[in-house]
Amino acid sequence: MARIILHIGTHKTATTHIQDSLHANRKRLKQHGVIFPHIGQTRGQHGLASAWIKLPMPYSLTDAERSWKRLARVYGPGDHTVVVSSEELSRLRPHRVNMAQLRDWLQGFDEIRILCCLRNQASFLQSVYQQVSDERQPGHWVPYLQAALRSRMVDGLALNYAGLVSHIETGFAPDEITLLSYDHAIHSPGGILGAVLAAINCPLTAEDLSASPHGTSNISPPPLASFAANGIALPARAEAGLVHLAARHLPRPNRTTLFSRPELAQIRALFDPLNRALENSRASVQPGFRIGPMLGAEAPEHELMFRGELTETYWIDLARALRSAQR
């Protein structure tokens, strides 16, 4: 029986770490009936998304449709589990995957499944902002946040996960979709990688796999360091040295958040009911599924350092450090 599992992210749910780990262990996985194909120039199969989404090199493929159909032709007649992983497959704007077309291209497989990891919206939004900050200047945080809450999207990615699931269901049946809570999975045996391996019914555990030679991927600086550096660098992108300097002067770098307390309360009020509704709608096909707790809900809020707690002393110390560095 030939299966294909499409791990579609979402973004900021350790997708690069998962892709690096699976790529580094391709030979061992194949011995256990799991195929993680090498397609394009990246360790994930991002180029396959370029059938619908314009991606820069080295992510795009010259003929992504042909590559999709080749997967079905080569592996469809066999007895394998093929895993394709790209978070770009969950992107909604400005372009999105035609899910019905994708399913048609893969009809040579006996079973097709979608695996999608979801992260609580506060942590997800904050992490996307930081990823954007690595690539370009995102602008002032408050307008960025309010635009995301109005549209229920950030950088073309869904914040309303019911909308994302509805899009997937334009090509796939509800029982072909498995949702995984990132926030719960990171605390499970083997972490998020272990949870993904279990979800694809791989006989190996995270401990059975060799570490990726690329190490831990995409580790973000403290959120308030990104905020401070972006504000200083406007309108330019904040360079890594400036972010590092901003982080070095934070009194509690390990537990900071971009949000103010009212902003975090606003996010909870908006998305907690939407999350409960999605969980209820999935009860018949995935009983017990729960999106993880919102940022700050898993620990007392006094353990978080909110944006408004950046004191005048912090900014003075940072200004002195910048002047010293310029000298």
Side-chain angles (χ1 to χ4, degrees):
M1 178 177 174
R3 299 193 309 154
I4 185 166
I5 297 175
L6 308 181
H7 170 231
I8 66 169
T10 56
H11 294 70
K12 311 314 296 180
T13 56
T15 48
T16 303
H17 169 61
I18 293 165
Q19 292 153 7
D20 287 351
S21 298
L22 297 182
H23 185 273
N25 290 273
R26 288 171 64 230
K27 290 183 179 179
R28 187 163 194 190
L29 288 166
K30 188 175 181 179
Q31 293 170 353
H32 293 270
V34 177
I35 307 295
F36 191 68
H38 183 62
I39 299 174
Q41 302 179 51
T42 58
R43 292 181 289 278
Q45 294 82 18
H46 306 296
L48 292 172
S50 62
W52 307 275
I53 300 169
K54 185 177 180 180
L55 298 174
M57 290 301 292
Y59 297 100
S60 64
L61 295 174
T62 55
D63 193 343
E65 177 182 350
R66 181 180 178 184
S67 296
W68 279 114
K69 292 180 176 179
R70 185 177 183 276
L71 283 174
R73 186 176 68 252
V74 172
Y75 297 111
D79 185 19
H80 312 280
T81 294
V82 178
V83 178
V84 165
S85 178
S86 175
E87 56 270 38
E88 287 302 314
L89 295 171
S90 63
R91 182 174 292 280
L92 295 184
R93 291 182 184 170
H95 304 288
R96 62 181 67 186
V97 172
N98 184 323
M99 292 291 174
Q101 185 178 50
L102 173 56
R103 201 185 197 295
D104 181 63
W105 290 350
L106 296 175
Q107 61 183 324
F109 286 93
D110 299 305
E111 182 182 346
I112 308 170
R113 299 200 63 81
I114 301 290
L115 175 62
C116 185
C117 299
L118 302 177
R119 185 173 183 176
N120 80 82
Q121 285 90 346
S123 295
F124 178 63
L125 202 164
Q126 177 172 267
S127 190
V128 171
Y129 170 87
Q130 292 193 264
Q131 181 70 46
V132 170
S133 299
D134 289 341
E135 302 164 2
R136 64 184 187 272
Q137 170 59 251
H140 292 290
W141 163 248
V142 173
Y144 185 94
L145 168 64
Q146 294 306 320
L149 297 183
R150 284 193 302 272
S151 65
R152 300 181 185 181
M153 299 190 73
V154 57
D155 202 45
L157 311 175
L159 287 170
N160 178 10
Y161 297 139
L164 174 59
V165 172
S166 294
H167 168 58
I168 299 170
E169 289 178 348
T170 60
F172 300 88
D175 62 358
E176 293 178 315
I177 303 166
T178 298
L179 302 181
L180 188 65
S181 166
Y182 170 82
D183 302 284
H184 292 312
I186 57 176
H187 300 296
S188 65
I192 183 65
L193 177 58
V196 167
L197 290 171
I200 66 176
N201 293 321
C202 178
L204 300 174
T205 66
E207 290 74 20
D208 294 325
L209 301 188
S210 303
S212 166
H214 303 281
T216 305
S217 309
N218 293 343
I219 299 298
S220 297
L224 283 183
S226 297
F227 166 78
N230 284 335
I232 293 169
L234 272 168
R237 180 179 69 89
E239 299 292 338
L242 175 57
V243 179
H244 176 74
L245 199 63
R248 202 169 71 194
H249 289 271
L250 287 170
R252 288 184 286 154
N254 294 330
R255 290 290 294 171
T256 75
T257 178
L258 295 169
F259 302 108
S260 67
R261 292 177 187 273
E263 288 167 352
L264 190 52
Q266 182 183 13
I267 290 174
R268 289 174 179 164
L270 175 60
F271 290 111
D272 277 345
L274 295 176
N275 291 347
R276 302 296 84 79
L278 175 59
E279 293 161 359
N280 291 336
S281 73
R282 296 285 302 168
S284 62
V285 293
Q286 202 175 347
F289 168 72
R290 295 290 182 271
I291 294 173
M294 205 65 73
L295 175 70
E298 77 284 1
E301 283 193 3
H302 69 263
E303 293 184 8
L304 281 174
M305 182 178 179
F306 289 83
R307 188 178 73 251
E309 295 170 20
L310 285 176
T311 64
E312 185 177 288
T313 299
Y314 170 77
W315 293 108
I316 291 172
D317 289 346
L318 181 54
R320 287 172 175 165
L322 281 169
R323 183 173 180 81
S324 177
Q326 289 170 347
R327 288 174 178 171

